[in-house]
Amino acid sequence: MTATAKSLRQAMAGLHTWTGLLFGWLLYAMFLTGAVSYFREEISQWMRPEVPALGQAPDAAASTASAIAGLQLLAPGASQWVIDLADERRNFIAASWRLGGGHGRAMLDPLTGKAVLARETTGGEFFYYFHFSLHYLPRAPARWLVGLATMFMLVAIISGVITHKKIFTNFFTFRPGKGARSWLDGHNMLSVWMLPFHLLITYTGLITLMTLYMPWGIDSAPGAAQARQSLRAEMTALMPPGAPSGRAAPLADVRAMAREAERRWGSGGVSRLIVDHPGDAASRVRVVRSDATRVSVSPRYLVFDGAEGALLEARDHSEPAAETRGVLYGLHLGRFAGVGLRWMYFLASLAGAGMVATGLVLWAVKRRARRRHLDAEQLAVGLRLVERLNIAAIAGLPVAMAAFFWGNRLLPAGIAGRPDWEIHLFFAAWLLMLFHASVRPVRRAWTEQFGAAAVLCATLPLWNLLAGKRHLLAAIREADWVFAGFELALLAAAAMFAAIAMKTARVGQELEAKPRVTSGGIPG
């Protein structure tokens, strides 16, 4: 090896270590909440047990007619209706509208169009928005922070590839029970196994918010206002309604519009209807193609005259740059993925969370090993801080997520701001884990927090069995695999957390038998 190559690897090793550490806790939370976001519709179903499962997607044309009938009663004077149809993963129609200066929303039965009565919750949407917008922070600064962390992640991946001399060997190497060496092997394996996915999801994550990070091209273009409108039309079918005519006219048959769309895109191809100025002669209806049938999320839709029912426009292509962005965005979201591929997205994202977590733990284990002759009070403040933050982030986040689900079941149905209280409970539990990690011995805190996550996850299905009409056994009996699948996933997560807790407890007991390595070291 030449001195130049050695120097480059050393430089990259330092860059890899510190870029990973500075944003590691945030990146771990982004990976973990992003992973569960691939099942946000299923999580939302579980968090609204009052809404029965559909079994199969209802007829799109009939559902649109039902939704229109429901909205004519709920929001007759609205300037815009937005109707997201039910499908195999969502068991209700999500309707929203603009009325005056405000907005409204409701859940509708896809068969009757009547409002669905269910507990208020943000459901799986919370994890989806948290993983790129965080919470409590203003939207723009939060997304800038997430973007900065993502850029650091990209730097950490590239510098990690340059650092490693034997990537192929790392694929197969794991030496358990070797302390820091084992953590390094685990970090390498999780990194190398899913390296293409980690690169893809990190790079496309930056693409999703590129107009926030780099708005200068549009802002400096001649006719910037028109350029922004054109850009918006390339990125979404949801645009502000134009001006109404002021002349009343009944809405044409939307079922025929939905059937025309399905004739072009196939069964299951329609996901959304947007009706501008319903009941006005200038009304327009956009029938939007589903993202589940294609990789790109660039908008495809048909525009109909709302009063006459005539097809006015078929948007079936995008400009090359917009289509490139749509494909990259679609690869990040994975909406095109069926059940099997969605599980692969989920597991690969979990591997990403594991990669970050093992890197954070490795940083602390290596430095504690160098100081094994010192007492806990003599360790550097930075090392002690990283150890506590590792526990609160890596083990505390699953506890907070389980508390969020428990809040969904235990908070009174009529409490004001119920969805917000679920989220407050999530952050309160996470803060409690930080406090716990700061006052307990390190190795015991790991065991106790993973143990708490195991107990909280394992007892949720039991609570539903004892207190709820909808539970795991009933779901299996009725072939309600969305509900049953979520509860089985909770039990699997509980088993995994319990195994980790027992492992850390056992290693801790072994370390106590070694006089100078007993001062609260992280289980190796």
Side-chain angles (χ1 to χ4, degrees), residues 356-400:
V356 176
T358 51
L360 289 168
V361 173
L362 177 62
W363 188 96
V365 167
K366 289 172 69 173
R367 280 151 186 81
R368 180 177 275 275
R370 292 174 195 160
R371 297 164 176 80
R372 63 181 62 193
H373 59 286
L374 301 177
D375 293 329
E377 293 74 15
Q378 296 175 298
L379 293 175
V381 174
L383 174 57
R384 283 185 284 169
L385 177 65
V386 169
E387 286 180 338
R388 266 60 179 184
L389 289 174
N390 280 350
I391 299 167
I394 298 169
L397 180 55
V399 175

XYZ file of all heavy atoms in Angstrom, residues 356-400:
346
model
N -26.449 2.502 11.528
C -26.171 3.727 12.270
C -25.982 3.413 13.755
O -25.049 3.918 14.409
C -27.304 4.747 12.072
C -27.056 5.989 12.932
C -27.426 5.144 10.605
N -26.855 2.556 14.298
C -26.796 2.237 15.729
C -25.483 1.551 16.091
O -24.835 1.902 17.086
C -27.979 1.359 16.113
N -25.060 0.570 15.285
C -23.807 -0.128 15.593
C -22.603 0.811 15.466
O -21.634 0.690 16.215
C -23.627 -1.344 14.666
O -23.810 -0.919 13.294
C -24.621 -2.440 14.994
N -22.693 1.757 14.525
C -21.617 2.736 14.413
C -21.525 3.616 15.647
O -20.429 3.907 16.147
N -22.675 4.038 16.163
C -22.685 4.876 17.367
C -22.153 4.113 18.578
O -21.354 4.643 19.369
C -24.117 5.350 17.648
C -24.695 6.392 16.681
C -26.190 6.548 16.895
C -23.997 7.733 16.869
N -22.594 2.863 18.713
C -22.135 2.060 19.855
C -20.645 1.769 19.719
O -19.892 1.819 20.710
C -22.947 0.755 19.946
C -22.362 -0.170 21.021
C -24.405 1.061 20.269
N -20.199 1.476 18.496
C -18.788 1.191 18.270
C -17.911 2.366 18.699
O -16.847 2.172 19.308
C -18.566 0.872 16.788
C -17.114 0.617 16.359
C -16.539 -0.601 17.087
C -17.037 0.416 14.846
N -18.356 3.576 18.394
C -17.588 4.772 18.781
C -17.359 4.769 20.292
O -16.249 5.008 20.770
C -18.367 6.013 18.352
C -17.612 7.310 18.516
C -16.899 7.973 17.568
C -17.497 8.105 19.718
N -16.349 9.117 18.075
C -16.695 9.230 19.401
C -17.979 7.989 21.015
C -16.386 10.224 20.337
C -17.648 8.967 21.957
C -16.866 10.065 21.606
N -18.415 4.485 21.048
C -18.305 4.515 22.509
C -17.510 3.324 23.038
O -16.691 3.469 23.963
C -19.704 4.535 23.125
N -17.725 2.138 22.459
C -17.035 0.934 22.949
C -15.523 1.063 22.772
O -14.742 0.725 23.679
C -17.573 -0.304 22.199
C -16.679 -1.523 22.449
C -18.996 -0.610 22.645
N -15.098 1.567 21.628
C -13.659 1.693 21.378
C -13.004 2.665 22.361
O -11.914 2.412 22.888
C -13.421 2.157 19.934
C -13.731 1.081 18.899
C -13.680 1.609 17.487
C -12.269 1.965 17.070
N -12.227 2.333 15.625
N -13.684 3.752 22.626
C -13.088 4.744 23.527
C -13.144 4.293 24.978
O -12.264 4.597 25.770
C -13.787 6.094 23.331
C -13.249 6.800 22.093
C -14.232 7.700 21.423
N -13.663 8.213 20.170
C -13.650 7.522 19.039
N -14.174 6.307 18.996
N -13.103 8.026 17.946
N -14.191 3.558 25.327
C -14.219 3.036 26.700
C -13.154 1.973 26.897
O -12.536 1.882 27.964
C -15.613 2.472 27.013
C -15.718 1.910 28.416
C -17.116 1.444 28.711
N -17.959 2.547 29.171
C -18.022 2.952 30.426
N -17.264 2.389 31.350
N -18.830 3.930 30.776
N -12.893 1.179 25.859
C -11.875 0.135 25.964
C -10.493 0.743 26.217
O -9.677 0.184 26.948
C -11.856 -0.711 24.696
N -10.243 1.911 25.610
C -8.944 2.556 25.818
C -8.802 3.089 27.243
O -7.709 3.363 27.709
C -8.784 3.724 24.846
C -8.668 3.295 23.385
C -8.675 4.532 22.494
N -8.910 4.194 21.105
C -9.341 5.061 20.191
N -9.582 6.308 20.549
N -9.529 4.676 18.964
N -9.970 3.274 27.904
C -9.949 3.876 29.245
C -10.427 2.873 30.305
O -10.986 3.266 31.312
C -10.834 5.121 29.270
C -10.352 6.217 28.329
C -11.424 7.251 28.079
N -10.954 8.355 27.266
C -10.832 8.336 25.953
N -11.151 7.231 25.285
N -10.385 9.387 25.288
N -10.238 1.596 30.041
C -10.789 0.580 30.932
C -10.169 0.619 32.330
O -10.727 0.068 33.269
C -10.602 -0.814 30.338
C -9.159 -1.247 30.162
C -9.098 -2.628 29.544
N -9.704 -2.621 28.229
C -10.011 -3.723 27.554
N -9.810 -4.897 28.104
N -10.524 -3.663 26.364
N -9.020 1.260 32.443
C -8.375 1.341 33.763
C -8.991 2.439 34.616
O -8.654 2.581 35.794
C -6.882 1.623 33.590
C -6.608 2.898 32.851
N -6.790 3.010 31.487
C -6.188 4.106 33.291
C -6.465 4.242 31.110
N -6.110 4.927 32.187
N -9.895 3.254 34.020
C -10.473 4.376 34.751
C -11.810 3.993 35.364
O -12.526 3.122 34.852
C -10.680 5.572 33.813
C -9.426 6.125 33.117
C -9.810 7.258 32.177
C -8.422 6.613 34.157
N -12.191 4.690 36.430
C -13.531 4.548 36.988
C -14.516 5.336 36.130
O -14.125 6.198 35.344
C -13.566 5.078 38.421
C -12.735 4.213 39.350
O -12.646 2.985 39.076
O -12.157 4.749 40.309
N -15.802 5.065 36.336
C -16.828 5.729 35.530
C -16.746 7.240 35.662
O -16.931 7.980 34.695
C -18.213 5.239 35.948
N -16.427 7.732 36.876
C -16.396 9.172 37.095
C -15.213 9.830 36.387
O -15.193 11.041 36.178
C -16.332 9.480 38.593
C -17.586 9.108 39.377
C -17.715 7.607 39.580
O -16.711 6.888 39.366
O -18.819 7.139 39.923
N -14.200 9.010 36.027
C -13.014 9.579 35.403
C -13.100 9.619 33.881
O -12.217 10.164 33.236
C -11.782 8.751 35.819
C -11.487 8.804 37.313
C -10.342 7.880 37.685
O -10.424 6.675 37.522
N -9.269 8.473 38.183
N -14.141 9.050 33.319
C -14.272 9.029 31.863
C -14.548 10.423 31.338
O -15.126 11.264 32.026
C -15.414 8.089 31.459
C -15.193 6.601 31.739
C -16.445 5.824 31.409
C -13.995 6.070 30.959
N -14.147 10.675 30.103
C -14.369 11.982 29.491
C -15.862 12.283 29.420
O -16.687 11.384 29.239
C -13.768 11.995 28.092
N -16.167 13.575 29.570
C -17.566 13.981 29.535
C -18.210 13.602 28.202
O -19.350 13.143 28.141
C -17.678 15.502 29.768
C -19.121 15.971 29.577
C -17.185 15.855 31.164
N -17.450 13.780 27.109
C -17.987 13.465 25.784
C -18.384 12.004 25.659
O -19.451 11.686 25.106
N -17.545 11.106 26.173
C -17.853 9.681 26.099
C -19.092 9.358 26.916
O -19.978 8.619 26.460
C -16.659 8.871 26.598
C -16.889 7.356 26.718
C -17.328 6.757 25.386
C -15.619 6.669 27.229
N -19.160 9.907 28.114
C -20.345 9.639 28.947
C -21.613 10.174 28.298
O -22.673 9.553 28.342
C -20.155 10.250 30.333
C -19.216 9.421 31.208
C -19.146 9.969 32.610
N -18.327 11.160 32.685
C -18.255 11.963 33.731
N -19.008 11.719 34.785
N -17.468 13.012 33.731
N -21.500 11.360 27.655
C -22.661 11.935 26.978
C -23.101 11.059 25.816
O -24.305 10.786 25.640
C -22.313 13.345 26.490
C -23.407 14.063 25.698
C -24.615 14.320 26.593
C -22.874 15.388 25.129
N -22.138 10.595 25.002
C -22.488 9.749 23.844
C -23.137 8.450 24.312
O -24.121 7.979 23.718
C -21.234 9.462 23.006
C -21.505 8.373 21.962
C -20.766 10.741 22.309
N -22.620 7.856 25.380
C -23.208 6.612 25.877
C -24.659 6.806 26.278
O -25.529 5.988 25.950
C -22.393 6.105 27.069
C -21.051 5.495 26.689
C -20.276 5.012 27.898
O -20.546 5.504 29.022
O -19.410 4.135 27.721
N -24.935 7.899 26.979
C -26.330 8.138 27.419
C -27.241 8.437 26.241
O -28.381 7.965 26.173
C -26.362 9.298 28.408
C -26.302 8.916 29.869
C -25.071 8.157 30.237
N -25.046 7.823 31.661
C -24.033 7.230 32.250
N -22.957 6.903 31.535
N -24.080 6.941 33.529
N -26.738 9.237 25.301
C -27.553 9.549 24.136
C -27.792 8.304 23.275
O -28.856 8.144 22.685
C -26.886 10.650 23.307
C -26.898 12.047 23.933
C -26.083 13.020 23.093
C -28.325 12.561 24.083
N -26.788 7.434 23.201
C -26.981 6.173 22.464
C -28.139 5.371 23.047
O -28.983 4.841 22.319
C -25.698 5.336 22.531
C -24.651 5.800 21.540
O -24.942 6.630 20.668
N -23.442 5.282 21.653
N -28.165 5.250 24.352
C -29.237 4.465 24.996
C -30.591 5.099 24.724
O -31.543 4.427 24.297
C -28.988 4.371 26.512
C -27.667 3.659 26.807
C -30.138 3.637 27.202
C -27.206 3.810 28.239
N -30.687 6.415 24.961
C -31.989 7.083 24.795
C -32.457 7.049 23.356
O -33.663 6.942 23.082
C -31.882 8.524 25.290
N -31.519 7.142 22.404
C -31.924 7.153 20.996
C -32.220 5.745 20.498
O -33.281 5.496 19.912
C -30.825 7.796 20.149
N -31.286 4.809 20.725
C -31.395 3.481 20.113
C -32.440 2.612 20.818
O -33.278 1.992 20.164
C -30.017 2.788 20.128
C -29.028 3.609 19.285
C -30.122 1.368 19.598
C -27.582 3.175 19.443
N -32.398 2.560 22.138
C -33.374 1.745 22.874
C -34.600 2.569 23.263
O -35.701 2.025 23.376
C -32.730 1.169 24.125
N -34.428 3.884 23.472
C -35.550 4.707 23.918
C -36.577 4.972 22.842
O -37.768 5.098 23.139
N -36.137 5.055 21.569
C -37.105 5.336 20.507
C -38.149 4.229 20.365
O -39.351 4.535 20.242
C -36.371 5.576 19.183
C -37.267 5.881 17.976
C -38.187 7.065 18.246
C -36.414 6.154 16.725
N -37.778 2.942 20.357
C -38.829 1.905 20.323
C -39.796 1.997 21.504
O -40.985 1.714 21.350
C -38.027 0.598 20.352
C -36.697 0.947 19.783
C -36.435 2.353 20.235
N -39.295 2.382 22.678
C -40.191 2.562 23.823
C -41.192 3.682 23.534
O -42.395 3.554 23.792
C -39.378 2.889 25.091
C -40.317 3.201 26.259
C -38.466 1.725 25.454
N -40.696 4.787 22.958
C -41.583 5.908 22.637
C -42.611 5.515 21.589
O -43.786 5.916 21.665
C -40.746 7.089 22.152
